[in-house]
Amino acid sequence: MTESYETLLVERRERVAIITINRPEKRNALNIKTREEGAAVLEELSMDESVRVVIFTGAGDKAFIAGADIAEFQGRTAITQREVMLGRSLFTAIDNFPKPVIAMVNGYCLGGGCELALACDLRIASDTASFGQPEINLGIIPGGGGTQRLTRLIGEGKAMELILTGDIINAQTAYNVGLVNTVVPAADLEAKTMELANRIAEKSPIALRMAKEAVKLASRSNLDEGLRREVDLFALCFSSQDKDEGVSAFLEKRKPDFKGR
Ligand code: COA
């Protein structure tokens, strides 16, 4: 099933939903409409129990997302830009989404595109993908979490280098610095990403949700608070039927069937 929006395609393949940014003629640049539609789709998918994993990708073979739509910057005042950024944020929606989100990076992953990928939980890149935060070349800085999420993910030295130079790096370098989880040949990108998504989709959605929340605490809290909240989230899993199913399945030497209850 494929649903069409003005700027997105949404496809469901069993337990996996694929959101494709569909502006290939503009290298899938994120305009206000894309951000609004993306946040709206995520809100819908968050409530849909049949969807266990979400994938973001870009239409065409050139770009994942080539950044914010630069044309929209023209003539925009500081106050309006601030309102746009503080409004309904697609990146925050991905961050807070209660299920795993994978960025399937099929080409240019720049500026706001890199920030979107950074907000995702996992990043798989084709060997033709490239990454960067080139905002500095426009006389601005990353404003969608780039300075914060990139720094937390790859460390201050490398993040500073990318942000100050605006340099574009290839997929292998992105892998070497820890920006992406895996690099695969372009022809295998979709199959490898679906394989990963389906593997995760078989786990307990409750445990996945707790795991995502717990891991994200690591960069948002001090160690004592993080360890304490990890115990709470761990214990919360004990209230689920999925925990009983997982433990029973192990002891009975069979595959668990997690229902998300
Ligand atoms: N915002 C708005 N439009 C964009 C865009 C962006 N971020 N990135 C690409 N486009 C548009 C181009 O303006 C062009 O539109 P046109 O056909 O109406 O002239 C179209 O997409 C194709 O772009 P083009 O530059 O011809 O494609 P390319 O394949 O040669 O190069 C990029 C691709 C991504 C390297 C290049 O488009 C680019 O540098 N984009 C800007 C990247 C950037 O600075 N992002 C950070 C924004 S904060």
Side-chain angles (χ1 to χ4, degrees):
M1 169 185 173
T2 302
E3 299 158 32
S4 264
Y5 295 78
E6 194 180 306
T7 64
L8 304 177
L9 296 169
V10 183
E11 187 191 345
R12 291 161 207 242
R13 289 194 206 163
E14 297 178 0
R15 294 166 160 182
V16 179
I18 306 172
I19 302 175
T20 304
I21 312 293
N22 191 27
R23 304 183 71 214
E25 71 292 346
K26 294 289 178 194
R27 303 295 179 261
N28 304 318
L30 293 177
N31 59 9
I32 290 181
K33 188 77 184 167
T34 319
R35 293 169 196 265
E36 284 176 355
E37 289 191 336
V41 170
L42 284 181
E43 205 170 300
E44 202 183 300
L45 295 179
S46 72
M47 312 298 280
D48 185 338
E49 285 190 11
S50 67
V51 171
R52 299 215 178 160
V53 176
V54 168
I55 295 173
F56 267 94
T57 194
D61 57 2
K62 291 207 169 82
F64 172 67
I65 299 167
D69 190 324
I70 298 170
E72 286 187 342
F73 287 169
Q74 219 170 20
R76 196 180 269 171
T77 65
I79 301 298
T80 312
Q81 185 61 36
R82 189 165 189 271
E83 290 307 315
V84 169
M85 305 301 283
L86 294 179
R88 200 178 186 194
S89 165
L90 172 58
F91 304 153
T92 307
I94 295 172
D95 217 351
N96 295 335
F97 193 68
K99 312 174 192 197
V101 184
I102 303 174
M104 180 165 82
V105 183
N106 56 313
Y108 293 115
C109 181
L110 306 176
C114 194
E115 289 173 315
L116 188 147
L118 288 164
C120 294
D121 303 308
L122 298 168
R123 287 152 289 280
I124 302 199
S126 85
D127 54 3
T128 55
S130 54
F131 296 78
Q133 296 287 166
E135 289 88 346
I136 203 83
N137 299 323
L138 299 170
I140 54 175
I141 68 169
T147 64
Q148 303 303 302
R149 291 197 183 97
L150 184 65
T151 306
R152 281 169 162 80
L153 186 65
I154 69 172
E156 187 174 314
K158 271 289 159 195
M160 192 70 92
E161 183 183 333
L162 286 174
I163 290 167
L164 295 186
T165 62
D167 283 351
I168 310 293
I169 56 174
N170 64 27
Q172 189 56 49
T173 307
Y175 175 78
N176 293 344
V177 299
L179 178 40
V180 299
N181 296 81
T182 321
V183 181
V184 298
D188 300 341
L189 180 65
E190 190 173 311
K192 293 283 183 200
T193 310
M194 284 305 298
E195 191 184 290
L196 175 68
N198 284 325
R199 200 146 49 82
I200 294 174
E202 286 185 0
K203 318 283 184 202
S204 158
I206 294 172
L208 289 172
R209 181 179 188 152
M210 299 303 153
K212 175 167 173 172
E213 202 174 319
V215 171
K216 281 182 177 282
L217 280 171
S219 55
R220 288 179 187 166
S221 57
N222 66 41
L223 184 60
D224 286 343
E225 190 194 335
L227 290 171
R228 178 57 224 270
R229 297 214 20 219
E230 182 192 71
V231 169
D232 290 343
L233 293 167
F234 171 71
L236 208 49
C237 295
F238 278 63
S239 67
S240 72
Q241 290 170 19
D242 281 355
K243 170 256 171 188
D244 295 338
E245 167 65 5
V247 171
S248 301
F250 175 80
L251 296 174
E252 291 161 17
K253 302 189 189 307
R254 61 175 172 83
K255 205 170 159 231
D257 179 15
F258 294 119
K259 303 269 194 241
R261 295 277 179 267

